[in-house]
Amino acid sequence: MAKFEEVKNGLIFPVGEKNDAYAQYFIGQSYLKNLIADPEVNVGVGNVTFEPGCRNNWHIHHDGFQLLLVTGGEGWYQEEGKPAQFLTAGDVIVTHDGVKHWHGAAKNSWFEHLAITAGTPEWLEPVSDELYNQL
């Protein structure tokens, strides 16, 4: 049984639908509930939920940033060239413009965060199983 199963029902914000629009940039299943998607505001806010073992590809935010507010479960965040950071509820990550990074669930845990994002994402290669399995 996976840890933090209650995350799959949404802790603070709804889980949303299967993240089919971005599925090609994830290994495993994620869910997305857009909370703010106003074209007059240059920042999007989404509740992203990851099934155990799910992670997104390496990516970069150009002309912007990404803030992650962890609301439940256990997961990982890593910037290129730095060690991965273990994340739990209450952790906050600031990703600056142009920084290559990835984030996702721990192998045996659901994971949920709010993603506050500005700019344009550039999706890159998947996080290798070799790297991920070493965490």
Side-chain angles (χ1 to χ4, degrees):
M1 180 178 200
K3 292 164 52 176
F4 298 100
E5 292 254 348
E6 69 275 10
V7 168
K8 68 182 173 185
N9 298 317
L11 295 174
I12 300 170
F13 298 99
V15 170
E17 301 298 320
K18 286 186 176 181
N19 191 5
D20 293 336
Y22 293 93
Q24 64 186 325
Y25 307 119
F26 284 74
I27 294 173
Q29 184 63 60
S30 67
Y31 303 84
L32 176 63
K33 174 65 176 173
N34 282 316
L35 302 174
I36 299 174
D38 184 332
E40 295 182 32
V41 177
N42 191 26
V43 174
V45 179
N47 186 40
V48 185
T49 305
F50 301 78
E51 289 187 358
C54 178
R55 66 227 187 235
N56 55 30
N57 288 6
W58 289 97
H59 58 286
I60 298 170
H61 299 278
H62 294 286
D63 300 318
F65 57 85
Q66 187 169 58
L67 311 175
L68 303 177
L69 309 177
V70 180
T71 56
E74 295 176 344
W76 294 98
Y77 170 86
Q78 185 174 19
E79 293 182 0
E80 184 177 45
K82 295 183 180 180
Q85 298 176 51
F86 184 68
L87 302 176
T88 60
D91 286 337
V92 175
I93 295 292
V94 177
T95 306
H96 295 277
D97 183 35
V99 174
K100 185 177 177 180
H101 68 286
W102 70 271
H103 35 105
K107 293 176 208 169
N108 62 345
S109 178
W110 285 77
F111 181 60
E112 187 171 62
H113 63 56
L114 294 179
I116 303 166
T117 309
T120 305
E122 176 187 1
W123 291 99
L124 304 166
E125 73 276 8
V127 174
S128 71
D129 289 340
E130 179 182 12
L131 184 151
Y132 183 77
N133 289 331
Q134 291 175 3
L135 300 176

